[in-house]
Amino acid sequence: MSGEPDVHEELEARLKAYEGRPAAVTGVGKDPVNEPMIRHWCEAMGDTHPAYAGPDAVAPPTMLQVWTMGGLSGHPGRAAAYDELLGLLDKAGCTAVVATDCEQEYLRPLRPGDRITFDSVIESVSGRKTTKLGTGYFVTTRTDIRADGALAGTHRFRILKYAPGRRRNKPREPRPRPVVNRDNAGFWEGVARHELLIQRCTACRALRFPWLPGCHGCGSPDWDTVAASGEGTVYSYVVMHHPPFPAFEPPYAVGLIELAEGVRIVSNVVGVPYDEVRIGMPVRLEFRRYDDELVLPVFQGVTP
């Protein structure tokens, strides 16, 4: 249509006018940096670095955004400009949203007791972009985070607000293949035999998963394997709704499974509705064939 470029140019000009406007002003962290949250984070991430515990503990740098999150009730410092920008995109048909990436810069460690304040600005709005998901605009916000008034770090967060593209009827694409290399080839050979193999250090006897070329405990390069019993529990999980990926039909549950042997593996939770998956749910290993070449370990949910 002859008038369509003018419409897009007008919209882009209106969107660009929001660059530099505040997204949050004088935001205040709902809690000071604290040891319980640091402990929960480290347990969830499996991070046992000694710097994050004890009387001189610091917070993991990657927790930078945690201290600014408002939870379900939000933050009173959120500025109207950001909501106006998103509303303008909604009216333009860009009703879907997906987070694309974030960048963080760390200027000083955060320690228990630090009081967090922050300001956010709409740093940039891209021109009109066409992606596999649809056509829309990338919106980047920059948050400056302060601890007791001193700048401690910067967090840039980018989303894509887009109009979902039309789905075309076409054959389902094959499920992605795992990357097999010399460090993990033995694991995939075991899967082909319907065995879930866990590495075991022959020096200190520690079990490890995923497979690594050496022991992260004692450093020994020597190892053998033990076969998992197949019993486990859901340690954590997410339900994938959006964006859709080829060969996958959302929604579906992806679980962090703690095996009876004590190591954890990421895999699909199957056999139960996605909205009935729960932390602590017992699961049992099974091997599922997806095509002539691909067999993957998945975990069947066990309900009472």
Side-chain angles (χ1 to χ4, degrees):
M1 296 176 60
S2 60
E4 190 172 353
D6 293 336
V7 172
H8 294 317
E9 290 174 5
E10 180 184 352
L11 175 61
E12 289 186 17
R14 295 179 66 189
L15 296 175
K16 284 288 185 181
Y18 283 90
E19 292 184 345
R21 295 181 64 180
V25 179
T26 318
V28 177
K30 290 195 169 182
D31 297 285
V33 178
N34 62 85
E35 294 178 7
M37 187 63 76
I38 294 173
R39 185 180 69 252
H40 293 322
W41 175 278
C42 290
E43 288 178 355
M45 297 298 178
D47 193 337
T48 58
H49 196 287
Y52 307 143
D56 298 319
V58 298
T62 50
M63 289 187 74
L64 185 65
Q65 187 188 16
V66 168
W67 312 111
T68 69
M69 298 177 76
L72 296 177
S73 59
H75 269 297
R78 180 160 169 162
Y82 191 66
D83 290 330
E84 291 173 6
L85 172 61
L86 298 186
L88 184 58
L89 287 165
D90 285 338
K91 290 180 180 178
C94 299
T95 55
V97 62
V98 61
T100 60
D101 62 282
C102 70
E103 303 170 13
Q104 293 184 336
E105 180 181 6
Y106 313 118
L107 301 179
R108 83 156 178 85
L110 296 177
R111 295 180 171 84
D114 283 342
R115 295 279 178 174
I116 301 301
T117 56
F118 60 93
D119 296 283
S120 295
V121 64
I122 301 168
E123 189 170 65
S124 66
V125 183
S126 77
R128 187 167 176 260
K129 304 292 184 181
T130 299
T131 72
K132 286 187 176 181
L133 295 176
T135 299
Y137 300 84
F138 290 93
V139 178
T140 304
T141 54
R142 187 192 76 243
T143 301
D144 293 327
I145 298 165
R146 297 175 178 80
D148 295 326
L151 188 63
T154 298
H155 175 82
R156 283 182 172 84
F157 191 68
R158 188 172 295 110
I159 63 171
L160 172 64
K161 280 281 286 180
Y162 65 97
R166 293 180 180 178
R167 293 189 178 184
R168 299 177 180 176
N169 293 325
K170 59 182 180 179
R172 179 179 296 183
E173 296 189 28
R175 199 173 178 103
R177 267 45 188 167
V179 176
V180 180
N181 55 40
R182 65 181 182 179
D183 292 327
N184 66 11
F187 170 78
W188 292 109
E189 290 167 1
V191 169
R193 301 191 301 269
H194 287 202
E195 290 184 308
L196 185 63
L197 298 179
I198 304 169
Q199 277 185 315
R200 178 175 59 187
C201 175
T202 55
C204 69
R205 312 303 287 175
L207 300 180
R208 64 178 185 262
F209 193 90
W211 283 34
L212 297 169
C215 180
H216 50 65
C218 71
S220 172
D222 300 319
W223 54 271
D224 59 12
T225 62
V226 296
S229 67
E231 303 299 319
T233 57
V234 175
Y235 184 83
S236 185
Y237 72 96
V238 296
V239 175
M240 297 296 297
H241 291 272
H242 203 78
F245 294 99
F248 294 85
E249 287 292 337
Y252 55 92
V254 179
L256 177 61
I257 307 301
E258 185 162 81
L259 300 176
E261 291 74 16
V263 298
R264 298 171 191 159
I265 179 175
V266 176
S267 186
N268 288 110
V269 180
V270 302
V272 294
Y274 69 88
D275 55 356
E276 292 184 11
V277 176
R278 294 290 184 271
I279 291 173
M281 171 184 280
V283 292
R284 186 173 298 112
L285 172 68
E286 65 177 53
F287 292 88
R288 180 168 291 187
R289 177 171 292 280
Y290 289 91
D291 55 44
D292 292 341
E293 300 175 351
L294 185 63
V295 175
L296 294 176
V298 297
F299 289 85
Q300 173 83 31
V302 180
T303 55

